[in-house]
Every structure is written in structure tokens, then in C-alpha cells.
Amino acid sequence: MKGKIAITPRSLSGAGHPSLSLLTDQGYELVFPAPGQTPTEEALLSSVPGCVGWLAGVEPIPARVLDHADGLRVISRNGVGVNNIDLAAAERLGIAIERAAGTNARGVAELAITLMLAGFRHVPWSDAQLHQGKWERRKGIEAEGRTLGIIGCGAIGQTVARIAIGLGMKVLGYDPFPPKDFAPEGFRMASLDEIFQLANAISLHCPPSDKPLVDLQVVASLKPGVVMINTARAELIDEAAVLRGLKDGQISCLATDVFRTEPPEASELHSHDRVIMTPHAGGFTEESVTRATNTAVHNLLKVLGQ
């Protein structure tokens, strides 16, 4: 046996995946700290020490876990975000961090568009009314001719833009590092203020910073009735500010696939009838899981083979 590799993404630790056989074929033993679940810190502390590699999901990976991970050489994410990892601790300990950039872009982008359209047409609310035996309707809006603001124009944001343009939408994009080779007809770069003032829908595809991107000041500046879509990170929005926006009509709908704790705790925001929720399912498609797993596995073997 060459060593142990921890497998923690829920999409892999419960049902497995054929790509994982590439690791066992190379002589590695697979360790599953919490099959089918997001592992707790205690589960990681009891399972990761002694592993040379770690195929990681979105679970928090604090310095305490890394300090106890004797022999760990590489953490390979099955996605692109690494804000769940204490990167300073990883660097201090000489642990390589690998990402599966772009592998879930199509899956996340399609969900973002799905959530936008569901918000435009009040699909979850309408479904809930009918399940309760009520014949009620809310007037929706059509996508064609509307403006979508995309914050974060990497692989996911660009894919969202292409789909939205196909729907006949105008698309404004913001990114602190604008893509140089992305300029389809119907798309242009814009400032954050312009997006907040003009967009009928805003889709978030950027990493979080020290403070929320969408706070009370931003909510007050939004075009009234905007649909807000978050398939990136929950920390991008101030929940109290967004709840106020929903109550006063500044925000027509919040559609979110991400939460500060997963599964989320009950809250006034999450119970609001203009909030659409999905269980961090953006990259949870057959195709995205396969692409991400293949890349994550190959990244592990690349580093461990050095």
C-alpha cells in the first residue's frame, strides 16, 4: 500500500465513483470519514491523520485539522473554491492545494439560470399553492429583453452569460480581473454600481471577502424587484439586509444554493415565501461530478507521484 487517501465530498463518499478506482489501482487505500455526509471536525481529526492525500469537498478544513494531519502532502478539491481551507496553515505545513477549475461550470451555470427563471415566474411558490389546494397566481416577467448582472466572470459566470444571451437577455458583467477574450454580442463589462442599478436579476459567481458584498447599502441601491441568485458562497450576502429587501419589495426573490451552515438552520429568511432554496446542488450533476472527480483524482496522482 502506497498510503491512505481521505474522500470527503458527499457526492463521492456515499455513492462512490468509478474514477476513485484509479487511486486503488495505484495502491492507495481510501478512507471515508463520514460516508454520504459532510464530515465534522472531530470526524476529520480521527480519520485524516496518516493520510498522504485528501480529495476534499466544501467541508471546513481549519488549521487544527491540518496540524494533526501527519504525512498529508496534498488536498485536491473537487471544485474551484478553497475558502473552506485554512490556506495559511496549509502553506506553513507544506501541503499542496489543487483545484478542479471549470469542471462544474456548466452544472452550476444551468442551475443559476434555472433559479433565475423560477424567480421570474414564481415557480416554487405556485407549486406550493397548488399542493395546498389553492388556485393562486403571481404575475411574472419574461427573460427576453431583461438585464442580467453577473458578478464574477470566470468559467461559471461566462457560461451563465452565454445561456442568458441565448434567452435574449442583455448581460452586464463585473470582475476585478476582466476576461480578455470574452466579448460575445449582448455582453459588456460594467461597474458594480451599474449592475446594482440596472439589472433585473443578479447572479453571484465570485469568492467572498471579509464583509458581505450585498449589504444594506447595496440593497437600497438595487433596481426594485430584482431577483438575486447565489450559487457561489453564502457569505456574499448579509442575510438581514436581504430579508429587509424582500420585505420592502426591493428584492423580488432570493434564490440560493449555498448556506453558512449546511444543512441550514431555520431562519426568518429561509422561511420567507420569496426565497428559493436548493441543497448546494449546483455541481451535483452526473456530468459535473464525473469531470470534477476525474480532475481531482488526476491532481492527487500528479502531486503524489512527484
Side-chain angles (χ1 to χ4, degrees):
M1 183 185 74
K2 289 185 177 180
K4 298 179 181 180
I5 294 178
I7 310 294
T8 52
R10 289 174 298 166
S11 58
L12 304 179
S13 64
H17 194 276
S19 297
L20 297 180
S21 64
L22 294 174
L23 299 174
T24 55
D25 289 347
Q26 291 291 321
Y28 293 99
E29 177 186 346
L30 304 186
V31 175
F32 300 93
Q37 300 178 6
T38 299
T40 64
E41 185 172 321
E42 294 306 315
L44 295 176
L45 286 168
S46 65
S47 302
V48 173
C51 291
V52 295
W54 184 348
L55 201 168
V58 297
E59 67 280 352
I61 302 177
R64 178 173 176 237
V65 169
L66 296 178
D67 284 332
H68 285 79
D70 300 330
L72 184 64
R73 294 176 56 195
V74 55
I75 297 173
S76 182
R77 279 279 290 111
N78 68 334
V80 66
V82 292
N83 63 300
N84 58 313
I85 304 172
D86 190 319
L87 297 177
E91 183 177 7
R92 170 171 54 84
L93 296 165
I95 300 170
I97 305 295
E98 295 287 330
R99 316 178 194 206
T103 55
N104 66 355
R106 185 72 192 189
V108 176
E110 288 190 3
L111 179 62
I113 292 293
T114 299
L115 292 173
M116 178 190 72
L117 295 175
F120 280 175
R121 299 305 301 272
H122 312 290
V123 173
W125 179 86
S126 299
D127 176 76
Q129 300 307 302
L130 285 168
H131 275 289
Q132 296 171 23
K134 301 176 183 177
W135 186 259
E136 300 287 345
R137 297 189 298 178
R138 282 178 176 169
K139 185 183 291 184
I141 64 172
E142 298 175 4
E144 185 176 22
R146 303 288 178 172
T147 298
L148 171 63
I150 296 175
I151 301 177
C153 297
I156 297 172
Q158 291 178 32
T159 305
V160 171
R162 291 190 183 98
I163 299 172
I165 290 167
L167 292 171
M169 300 187 75
K170 306 169 189 174
V171 182
L172 303 177
Y174 171 82
D175 197 297
F177 305 98
K180 297 179 180 178
D181 56 352
F182 185 74
E185 185 176 353
F187 172 89
R188 69 175 176 87
M189 301 301 294
S191 68
L192 282 174
D193 287 343
E194 192 174 9
I195 287 175
F196 294 147
Q197 293 167 12
L198 298 180
N200 302 104
I202 297 174
S203 195
L204 306 179
H205 302 286
C206 56
S209 61
D210 295 336
K211 61 180 182 179
L213 172 67
V214 181
D215 56 17
L216 276 174
Q217 184 176 352
V218 167
V219 168
S221 71
L222 295 173
K223 185 182 180 71
V226 70
V227 171
M228 182 78 62
I229 307 110
N230 188 7
T231 56
R233 290 292 184 269
E235 291 78 10
L236 287 167
I237 71 166
D238 180 321
E239 293 190 356
V242 170
L243 179 60
R244 180 179 296 184
L246 288 166
K247 288 181 175 179
D248 65 20
Q250 196 75 359
I251 299 173
S252 171
C253 170
L254 168 69
T256 185
D257 187 46
V258 288
F259 306 89
R260 292 176 184 269
T261 59
E262 297 184 353
E265 299 176 356
S267 71
E268 186 178 0
L269 177 67
H270 296 152
S271 63
H272 197 284
D273 70 356
R274 289 184 179 269
V275 173
I276 303 171
M277 298 184 290
T278 50
H280 208 140
F284 194 48
T285 66
E286 181 177 340
E287 296 85 355
S288 287
V289 168
T290 294
R291 287 191 298 266
T293 306
N294 284 340
T295 300
V297 166
H298 284 293
N299 285 342
L300 281 171
L301 294 174
K302 175 187 70 177
V303 175
L304 294 175
Q306 293 174 351

mmCIF file of all heavy atoms in Angstrom, residues 5-20 23 30-37 54-57 76-79 283-286 288-297 300:
data_model
loop_
_atom_site.group_PDB
_atom_site.id
_atom_site.type_symbol
_atom_site.label_atom_id
_atom_site.label_comp_id
_atom_site.label_asym_id
_atom_site.label_seq_id
_atom_site.Cartn_x
_atom_site.Cartn_y
_atom_site.Cartn_z
ATOM 1 N N ILE A 5 -5.770 7.767 1.375
ATOM 2 C CA ILE A 5 -6.338 8.999 0.829
ATOM 3 C C ILE A 5 -7.747 9.165 1.382
ATOM 4 O O ILE A 5 -8.578 8.264 1.269
ATOM 5 C CB ILE A 5 -6.365 8.967 -0.706
ATOM 6 C CG1 ILE A 5 -4.932 8.967 -1.259
ATOM 7 C CG2 ILE A 5 -7.140 10.160 -1.257
ATOM 8 C CD1 ILE A 5 -4.849 8.884 -2.766
ATOM 9 N N ALA A 6 -7.995 10.320 2.002
ATOM 10 C CA ALA A 6 -9.321 10.619 2.550
ATOM 11 C C ALA A 6 -10.243 11.125 1.440
ATOM 12 O O ALA A 6 -9.837 11.934 0.601
ATOM 13 C CB ALA A 6 -9.214 11.656 3.655
ATOM 14 N N ILE A 7 -11.481 10.651 1.449
ATOM 15 C CA ILE A 7 -12.505 11.056 0.483
ATOM 16 C C ILE A 7 -13.661 11.660 1.274
ATOM 17 O O ILE A 7 -14.345 10.959 2.024
ATOM 18 C CB ILE A 7 -13.010 9.869 -0.353
ATOM 19 C CG1 ILE A 7 -11.846 9.066 -0.942
ATOM 20 C CG2 ILE A 7 -13.977 10.358 -1.436
ATOM 21 C CD1 ILE A 7 -11.019 9.805 -1.963
ATOM 22 N N THR A 8 -13.904 12.974 1.110
ATOM 23 C CA THR A 8 -14.922 13.609 1.940
ATOM 24 C C THR A 8 -16.086 14.274 1.205
ATOM 25 O O THR A 8 -17.086 14.584 1.855
ATOM 26 C CB THR A 8 -14.274 14.652 2.876
ATOM 27 O OG1 THR A 8 -13.473 15.551 2.099
ATOM 28 C CG2 THR A 8 -13.408 13.970 3.917
ATOM 29 N N PRO A 9 -16.036 14.538 -0.122
ATOM 30 C CA PRO A 9 -17.233 15.118 -0.762
ATOM 31 C C PRO A 9 -18.425 14.174 -0.622
ATOM 32 O O PRO A 9 -18.300 12.961 -0.851
ATOM 33 C CB PRO A 9 -16.812 15.271 -2.227
ATOM 34 C CG PRO A 9 -15.324 15.325 -2.198
ATOM 35 C CD PRO A 9 -14.922 14.408 -1.090
ATOM 36 N N ARG A 10 -19.571 14.730 -0.266
ATOM 37 C CA ARG A 10 -20.764 13.897 -0.080
ATOM 38 C C ARG A 10 -21.130 13.124 -1.339
ATOM 39 O O ARG A 10 -21.612 11.992 -1.274
ATOM 40 C CB ARG A 10 -21.951 14.774 0.332
ATOM 41 C CG ARG A 10 -21.866 15.335 1.740
ATOM 42 C CD ARG A 10 -22.999 16.303 2.000
ATOM 43 N NE ARG A 10 -22.932 17.439 1.097
ATOM 44 C CZ ARG A 10 -23.929 18.304 0.905
ATOM 45 N NH1 ARG A 10 -25.066 18.139 1.550
ATOM 46 N NH2 ARG A 10 -23.787 19.321 0.082
ATOM 47 N N SER A 11 -20.899 13.742 -2.514
ATOM 48 C CA SER A 11 -21.257 13.090 -3.775
ATOM 49 C C SER A 11 -20.408 11.863 -4.047
ATOM 50 O O SER A 11 -20.783 11.018 -4.876
ATOM 51 C CB SER A 11 -21.102 14.074 -4.939
ATOM 52 O OG SER A 11 -19.772 14.564 -5.014
ATOM 53 N N LEU A 12 -19.285 11.730 -3.352
ATOM 54 C CA LEU A 12 -18.378 10.606 -3.584
ATOM 55 C C LEU A 12 -18.324 9.637 -2.408
ATOM 56 O O LEU A 12 -18.207 8.425 -2.612
ATOM 57 C CB LEU A 12 -16.961 11.126 -3.851
ATOM 58 C CG LEU A 12 -16.787 12.120 -4.990
ATOM 59 C CD1 LEU A 12 -15.335 12.548 -5.091
ATOM 60 C CD2 LEU A 12 -17.264 11.531 -6.308
ATOM 61 N N SER A 13 -18.402 10.173 -1.197
ATOM 62 C CA SER A 13 -18.218 9.310 -0.033
ATOM 63 C C SER A 13 -19.406 8.396 0.222
ATOM 64 O O SER A 13 -19.255 7.339 0.851
ATOM 65 C CB SER A 13 -17.952 10.161 1.214
ATOM 66 O OG SER A 13 -19.070 10.977 1.521
ATOM 67 N N GLY A 14 -20.587 8.784 -0.292
ATOM 68 C CA GLY A 14 -21.761 7.933 -0.104
ATOM 69 C C GLY A 14 -21.929 6.916 -1.207
ATOM 70 O O GLY A 14 -21.992 5.700 -0.960
ATOM 71 N N ALA A 15 -21.964 7.392 -2.440
ATOM 72 C CA ALA A 15 -22.232 6.503 -3.579
ATOM 73 C C ALA A 15 -20.977 6.032 -4.290
ATOM 74 O O ALA A 15 -21.034 5.120 -5.113
ATOM 75 C CB ALA A 15 -23.143 7.232 -4.580
ATOM 76 N N GLY A 16 -19.826 6.638 -3.987
ATOM 77 C CA GLY A 16 -18.608 6.269 -4.693
ATOM 78 C C GLY A 16 -18.606 6.797 -6.115
ATOM 79 O O GLY A 16 -19.541 7.470 -6.550
ATOM 80 N N HIS A 17 -17.543 6.478 -6.856
ATOM 81 C CA HIS A 17 -17.455 6.888 -8.256
ATOM 82 C C HIS A 17 -16.393 6.026 -8.931
ATOM 83 O O HIS A 17 -15.352 5.729 -8.334
ATOM 84 C CB HIS A 17 -17.082 8.371 -8.365
ATOM 85 C CG HIS A 17 -17.291 8.927 -9.732
ATOM 86 N ND1 HIS A 17 -16.357 8.793 -10.734
ATOM 87 C CD2 HIS A 17 -18.344 9.588 -10.286
ATOM 88 C CE1 HIS A 17 -16.811 9.353 -11.833
ATOM 89 N NE2 HIS A 17 -18.016 9.840 -11.586
ATOM 90 N N PRO A 18 -16.633 5.633 -10.194
ATOM 91 C CA PRO A 18 -15.654 4.786 -10.884
ATOM 92 C C PRO A 18 -14.250 5.383 -10.936
ATOM 93 O O PRO A 18 -13.256 4.642 -10.926
ATOM 94 C CB PRO A 18 -16.246 4.658 -12.298
ATOM 95 C CG PRO A 18 -17.712 4.835 -12.114
ATOM 96 C CD PRO A 18 -17.844 5.834 -11.003
ATOM 97 N N SER A 19 -14.135 6.706 -10.979
ATOM 98 C CA SER A 19 -12.821 7.339 -11.066
ATOM 99 C C SER A 19 -11.953 7.063 -9.836
ATOM 100 O O SER A 19 -10.719 7.119 -9.914
ATOM 101 C CB SER A 19 -12.968 8.851 -11.259
ATOM 102 O OG SER A 19 -13.613 9.143 -12.484
ATOM 103 N N LEU A 20 -12.589 6.779 -8.701
ATOM 104 C CA LEU A 20 -11.820 6.504 -7.488
ATOM 105 C C LEU A 20 -10.998 5.234 -7.621
ATOM 106 O O LEU A 20 -10.003 5.058 -6.905
ATOM 107 C CB LEU A 20 -12.756 6.404 -6.279
ATOM 108 C CG LEU A 20 -13.537 7.671 -5.916
ATOM 109 C CD1 LEU A 20 -14.420 7.415 -4.701
ATOM 110 C CD2 LEU A 20 -12.597 8.842 -5.651
ATOM 111 N N LEU A 23 -7.273 5.444 -7.981
ATOM 112 C CA LEU A 23 -6.455 5.550 -6.780
ATOM 113 C C LEU A 23 -6.142 4.178 -6.198
ATOM 114 O O LEU A 23 -4.996 3.889 -5.845
ATOM 115 C CB LEU A 23 -7.168 6.419 -5.738
ATOM 116 C CG LEU A 23 -7.447 7.862 -6.155
ATOM 117 C CD1 LEU A 23 -8.291 8.567 -5.097
ATOM 118 C CD2 LEU A 23 -6.152 8.625 -6.390
ATOM 119 N N LEU A 30 -8.469 3.928 0.400
ATOM 120 C CA LEU A 30 -9.403 5.040 0.534
ATOM 121 C C LEU A 30 -10.031 5.045 1.921
ATOM 122 O O LEU A 30 -10.457 4.010 2.430
ATOM 123 C CB LEU A 30 -10.493 4.963 -0.537
ATOM 124 C CG LEU A 30 -10.003 4.904 -1.986
ATOM 125 C CD1 LEU A 30 -11.181 4.976 -2.943
ATOM 126 C CD2 LEU A 30 -8.999 6.002 -2.292
ATOM 127 N N VAL A 31 -10.113 6.246 2.508
ATOM 128 C CA VAL A 31 -10.690 6.436 3.835
ATOM 129 C C VAL A 31 -11.884 7.368 3.704
ATOM 130 O O VAL A 31 -11.785 8.426 3.076
ATOM 131 C CB VAL A 31 -9.647 7.043 4.804
ATOM 132 C CG1 VAL A 31 -10.289 7.343 6.152
ATOM 133 C CG2 VAL A 31 -8.459 6.117 4.956
ATOM 134 N N PHE A 32 -13.029 6.972 4.303
ATOM 135 C CA PHE A 32 -14.259 7.767 4.214
ATOM 136 C C PHE A 32 -14.665 8.202 5.629
ATOM 137 O O PHE A 32 -15.316 7.446 6.347
ATOM 138 C CB PHE A 32 -15.378 6.947 3.566
ATOM 139 C CG PHE A 32 -15.046 6.501 2.168
ATOM 140 C CD1 PHE A 32 -14.453 5.260 1.950
ATOM 141 C CD2 PHE A 32 -15.310 7.309 1.082
ATOM 142 C CE1 PHE A 32 -14.146 4.839 0.661
ATOM 143 C CE2 PHE A 32 -15.007 6.901 -0.214
ATOM 144 C CZ PHE A 32 -14.414 5.664 -0.421
ATOM 145 N N PRO A 33 -14.297 9.421 6.040
ATOM 146 C CA PRO A 33 -14.596 9.870 7.411
ATOM 147 C C PRO A 33 -16.078 9.937 7.739
ATOM 148 O O PRO A 33 -16.469 9.703 8.883
ATOM 149 C CB PRO A 33 -13.962 11.267 7.462
ATOM 150 C CG PRO A 33 -12.886 11.230 6.423
ATOM 151 C CD PRO A 33 -13.444 10.378 5.323
ATOM 152 N N ALA A 34 -16.930 10.282 6.767
ATOM 153 C CA ALA A 34 -18.371 10.425 7.025
ATOM 154 C C ALA A 34 -19.127 10.086 5.755
ATOM 155 O O ALA A 34 -19.567 10.996 5.031
ATOM 156 C CB ALA A 34 -18.699 11.830 7.498
ATOM 157 N N PRO A 35 -19.308 8.821 5.448
ATOM 158 C CA PRO A 35 -19.938 8.425 4.177
ATOM 159 C C PRO A 35 -21.292 9.095 3.952
ATOM 160 O O PRO A 35 -22.193 8.987 4.775
ATOM 161 C CB PRO A 35 -20.091 6.906 4.317
ATOM 162 C CG PRO A 35 -18.999 6.516 5.261
ATOM 163 C CD PRO A 35 -18.914 7.656 6.239
ATOM 164 N N GLY A 36 -21.413 9.821 2.833
ATOM 165 C CA GLY A 36 -22.671 10.443 2.453
ATOM 166 C C GLY A 36 -23.019 11.688 3.229
ATOM 167 O O GLY A 36 -24.100 12.252 3.030
ATOM 168 N N GLN A 37 -22.136 12.161 4.102
ATOM 169 C CA GLN A 37 -22.416 13.333 4.922
ATOM 170 C C GLN A 37 -21.237 14.291 4.893
ATOM 171 O O GLN A 37 -20.117 13.906 4.537
ATOM 172 C CB GLN A 37 -22.696 12.921 6.371
ATOM 173 C CG GLN A 37 -23.885 11.983 6.537
ATOM 174 C CD GLN A 37 -24.071 11.569 7.989
ATOM 175 O OE1 GLN A 37 -23.388 12.072 8.877
ATOM 176 N NE2 GLN A 37 -24.999 10.670 8.233
ATOM 177 N N TRP A 54 -5.837 13.903 0.168
ATOM 178 C CA TRP A 54 -7.198 14.195 0.626
ATOM 179 C C TRP A 54 -7.973 14.744 -0.555
ATOM 180 O O TRP A 54 -7.633 15.797 -1.096
ATOM 181 C CB TRP A 54 -7.138 15.207 1.759
ATOM 182 C CG TRP A 54 -8.440 15.565 2.410
ATOM 183 C CD1 TRP A 54 -9.704 15.271 1.991
ATOM 184 C CD2 TRP A 54 -8.589 16.315 3.630
ATOM 185 N NE1 TRP A 54 -10.626 15.780 2.847
ATOM 186 C CE2 TRP A 54 -9.973 16.414 3.867
ATOM 187 C CE3 TRP A 54 -7.692 16.902 4.510
ATOM 188 C CZ2 TRP A 54 -10.468 17.105 4.973
ATOM 189 C CZ3 TRP A 54 -8.190 17.579 5.607
ATOM 190 C CH2 TRP A 54 -9.566 17.672 5.850
ATOM 191 N N LEU A 55 -9.004 14.038 -0.992
ATOM 192 C CA LEU A 55 -9.926 14.540 -2.003
ATOM 193 C C LEU A 55 -11.054 15.189 -1.234
ATOM 194 O O LEU A 55 -11.880 14.507 -0.631
ATOM 195 C CB LEU A 55 -10.421 13.394 -2.895
ATOM 196 C CG LEU A 55 -10.984 13.781 -4.272
ATOM 197 C CD1 LEU A 55 -11.166 12.543 -5.156
ATOM 198 C CD2 LEU A 55 -12.294 14.536 -4.176
ATOM 199 N N ALA A 56 -11.072 16.526 -1.241
ATOM 200 C CA ALA A 56 -11.914 17.280 -0.315
ATOM 201 C C ALA A 56 -13.086 17.946 -1.004
ATOM 202 O O ALA A 56 -13.027 18.292 -2.189
ATOM 203 C CB ALA A 56 -11.075 18.330 0.415
ATOM 204 N N GLY A 57 -14.145 18.151 -0.220
ATOM 205 C CA GLY A 57 -15.324 18.868 -0.682
ATOM 206 C C GLY A 57 -15.351 20.269 -0.102
ATOM 207 O O GLY A 57 -14.322 20.943 -0.027
ATOM 208 N N SER A 76 -6.798 17.901 -2.649
ATOM 209 C CA SER A 76 -7.304 18.101 -4.008
ATOM 210 C C SER A 76 -8.802 18.321 -3.944
ATOM 211 O O SER A 76 -9.558 17.428 -3.554
ATOM 212 C CB SER A 76 -6.988 16.877 -4.875
ATOM 213 O OG SER A 76 -7.420 17.077 -6.202
ATOM 214 N N ARG A 77 -9.239 19.546 -4.283
ATOM 215 C CA ARG A 77 -10.669 19.875 -4.263
ATOM 216 C C ARG A 77 -11.360 19.336 -5.506
ATOM 217 O O ARG A 77 -10.796 19.334 -6.596
ATOM 218 C CB ARG A 77 -10.849 21.398 -4.198
ATOM 219 C CG ARG A 77 -10.708 21.974 -2.816
ATOM 220 C CD ARG A 77 -11.993 21.807 -2.011
ATOM 221 N NE ARG A 77 -13.034 22.694 -2.554
ATOM 222 C CZ ARG A 77 -14.127 22.270 -3.202
ATOM 223 N NH1 ARG A 77 -14.338 20.991 -3.396
ATOM 224 N NH2 ARG A 77 -15.005 23.130 -3.654
ATOM 225 N N ASN A 78 -12.603 18.900 -5.334
ATOM 226 C CA ASN A 78 -13.405 18.512 -6.495
ATOM 227 C C ASN A 78 -14.225 19.698 -6.989
ATOM 228 O O ASN A 78 -15.339 19.560 -7.472
ATOM 229 C CB ASN A 78 -14.319 17.324 -6.164
ATOM 230 C CG ASN A 78 -15.419 17.679 -5.184
ATOM 231 O OD1 ASN A 78 -15.276 18.613 -4.384
ATOM 232 N ND2 ASN A 78 -16.511 16.940 -5.228
ATOM 233 N N GLY A 79 -13.640 20.877 -6.879
ATOM 234 C CA GLY A 79 -14.240 22.123 -7.322
ATOM 235 C C GLY A 79 -13.160 23.185 -7.331
ATOM 236 O O GLY A 79 -11.971 22.871 -7.190
ATOM 237 N N GLY A 283 -23.146 21.837 -8.624
ATOM 238 C CA GLY A 283 -22.260 20.930 -9.345
ATOM 239 C C GLY A 283 -22.661 19.479 -9.230
ATOM 240 O O GLY A 283 -21.906 18.589 -9.641
ATOM 241 N N PHE A 284 -23.864 19.236 -8.687
ATOM 242 C CA PHE A 284 -24.292 17.851 -8.446
ATOM 243 C C PHE A 284 -25.100 17.332 -9.630
ATOM 244 O O PHE A 284 -26.300 17.065 -9.545
ATOM 245 C CB PHE A 284 -25.100 17.782 -7.156
ATOM 246 C CG PHE A 284 -25.293 16.376 -6.638
ATOM 247 C CD1 PHE A 284 -24.233 15.504 -6.538
ATOM 248 C CD2 PHE A 284 -26.548 15.951 -6.242
ATOM 249 C CE1 PHE A 284 -24.419 14.215 -6.056
ATOM 250 C CE2 PHE A 284 -26.749 14.668 -5.754
ATOM 251 C CZ PHE A 284 -25.674 13.794 -5.662
ATOM 252 N N THR A 285 -24.415 17.233 -10.763
ATOM 253 C CA THR A 285 -24.985 16.588 -11.939
ATOM 254 C C THR A 285 -24.077 15.422 -12.300
ATOM 255 O O THR A 285 -22.893 15.382 -11.914
ATOM 256 C CB THR A 285 -25.064 17.541 -13.139
ATOM 257 O OG1 THR A 285 -23.738 17.881 -13.571
ATOM 258 C CG2 THR A 285 -25.822 18.820 -12.797
ATOM 259 N N GLU A 286 -24.601 14.488 -13.043
ATOM 260 C CA GLU A 286 -23.801 13.336 -13.447
ATOM 261 C C GLU A 286 -22.529 13.781 -14.161
ATOM 262 O O GLU A 286 -21.422 13.289 -13.891
ATOM 263 C CB GLU A 286 -24.637 12.429 -14.359
ATOM 264 C CG GLU A 286 -23.921 11.181 -14.819
ATOM 265 C CD GLU A 286 -24.818 10.277 -15.662
ATOM 266 O OE1 GLU A 286 -26.054 10.411 -15.578
ATOM 267 O OE2 GLU A 286 -24.259 9.436 -16.397
ATOM 268 N N SER A 288 -21.018 16.913 -14.214
ATOM 269 C CA SER A 288 -20.108 17.727 -13.418
ATOM 270 C C SER A 288 -19.348 16.892 -12.395
ATOM 271 O O SER A 288 -18.146 17.095 -12.176
ATOM 272 C CB SER A 288 -20.876 18.850 -12.705
ATOM 273 O OG SER A 288 -21.268 19.850 -13.608
ATOM 274 N N VAL A 289 -20.038 15.962 -11.743
ATOM 275 C CA VAL A 289 -19.376 15.106 -10.755
ATOM 276 C C VAL A 289 -18.270 14.297 -11.412
ATOM 277 O O VAL A 289 -17.164 14.155 -10.871
ATOM 278 C CB VAL A 289 -20.396 14.189 -10.053
ATOM 279 C CG1 VAL A 289 -19.680 13.108 -9.245
ATOM 280 C CG2 VAL A 289 -21.314 15.003 -9.156
ATOM 281 N N THR A 290 -18.556 13.770 -12.597
ATOM 282 C CA THR A 290 -17.538 12.976 -13.297
ATOM 283 C C THR A 290 -16.338 13.819 -13.688
ATOM 284 O O THR A 290 -15.180 13.435 -13.464
ATOM 285 C CB THR A 290 -18.151 12.314 -14.548
ATOM 286 O OG1 THR A 290 -19.130 11.351 -14.124
ATOM 287 C CG2 THR A 290 -17.083 11.613 -15.372
ATOM 288 N N ARG A 291 -16.582 14.995 -14.268
ATOM 289 C CA ARG A 291 -15.465 15.868 -14.645
ATOM 290 C C ARG A 291 -14.647 16.271 -13.423
ATOM 291 O O ARG A 291 -13.406 16.228 -13.449
ATOM 292 C CB ARG A 291 -15.986 17.119 -15.361
ATOM 293 C CG ARG A 291 -16.478 16.878 -16.780
ATOM 294 C CD ARG A 291 -16.722 18.203 -17.494
ATOM 295 N NE ARG A 291 -17.760 19.003 -16.858
ATOM 296 C CZ ARG A 291 -19.043 18.990 -17.215
ATOM 297 N NH1 ARG A 291 -19.453 18.206 -18.202
ATOM 298 N NH2 ARG A 291 -19.921 19.753 -16.596
ATOM 299 N N ALA A 292 -15.323 16.670 -12.353
ATOM 300 C CA ALA A 292 -14.626 17.146 -11.158
ATOM 301 C C ALA A 292 -13.850 16.018 -10.487
ATOM 302 O O ALA A 292 -12.714 16.219 -10.027
ATOM 303 C CB ALA A 292 -15.631 17.756 -10.183
ATOM 304 N N THR A 293 -14.444 14.841 -10.417
ATOM 305 C CA THR A 293 -13.769 13.715 -9.778
ATOM 306 C C THR A 293 -12.553 13.283 -10.576
ATOM 307 O O THR A 293 -11.475 13.040 -10.010
ATOM 308 C CB THR A 293 -14.735 12.534 -9.607
ATOM 309 O OG1 THR A 293 -15.902 12.968 -8.908
ATOM 310 C CG2 THR A 293 -14.085 11.408 -8.814
ATOM 311 N N ASN A 294 -12.700 13.188 -11.882
ATOM 312 C CA ASN A 294 -11.558 12.824 -12.727
ATOM 313 C C ASN A 294 -10.401 13.791 -12.520
ATOM 314 O O ASN A 294 -9.241 13.383 -12.358
ATOM 315 C CB ASN A 294 -11.963 12.819 -14.204
ATOM 316 C CG ASN A 294 -12.782 11.606 -14.590
ATOM 317 O OD1 ASN A 294 -12.763 10.594 -13.892
ATOM 318 N ND2 ASN A 294 -13.501 11.703 -15.689
ATOM 319 N N THR A 295 -10.706 15.082 -12.533
ATOM 320 C CA THR A 295 -9.652 16.081 -12.380
ATOM 321 C C THR A 295 -9.029 16.023 -10.996
ATOM 322 O O THR A 295 -7.798 16.083 -10.847
ATOM 323 C CB THR A 295 -10.210 17.484 -12.646
ATOM 324 O OG1 THR A 295 -10.718 17.549 -13.981
ATOM 325 C CG2 THR A 295 -9.148 18.553 -12.465
ATOM 326 N N ALA A 296 -9.857 15.889 -9.962
ATOM 327 C CA ALA A 296 -9.342 15.831 -8.593
ATOM 328 C C ALA A 296 -8.445 14.615 -8.391
ATOM 329 O O ALA A 296 -7.398 14.695 -7.731
ATOM 330 C CB ALA A 296 -10.497 15.824 -7.604
ATOM 331 N N VAL A 297 -8.850 13.485 -8.940
ATOM 332 C CA VAL A 297 -8.048 12.261 -8.819
ATOM 333 C C VAL A 297 -6.710 12.418 -9.547
ATOM 334 O O VAL A 297 -5.649 12.080 -9.012
ATOM 335 C CB VAL A 297 -8.834 11.052 -9.360
ATOM 336 C CG1 VAL A 297 -7.915 9.854 -9.573
ATOM 337 C CG2 VAL A 297 -9.963 10.680 -8.403
ATOM 338 N N LEU A 300 -4.391 14.558 -7.564
ATOM 339 C CA LEU A 300 -3.785 13.822 -6.456
ATOM 340 C C LEU A 300 -2.597 12.987 -6.922
ATOM 341 O O LEU A 300 -1.502 13.039 -6.350
ATOM 342 C CB LEU A 300 -4.820 12.898 -5.813
ATOM 343 C CG LEU A 300 -5.836 13.501 -4.856
ATOM 344 C CD1 LEU A 300 -6.902 12.478 -4.494
ATOM 345 C CD2 LEU A 300 -5.147 13.986 -3.569
#
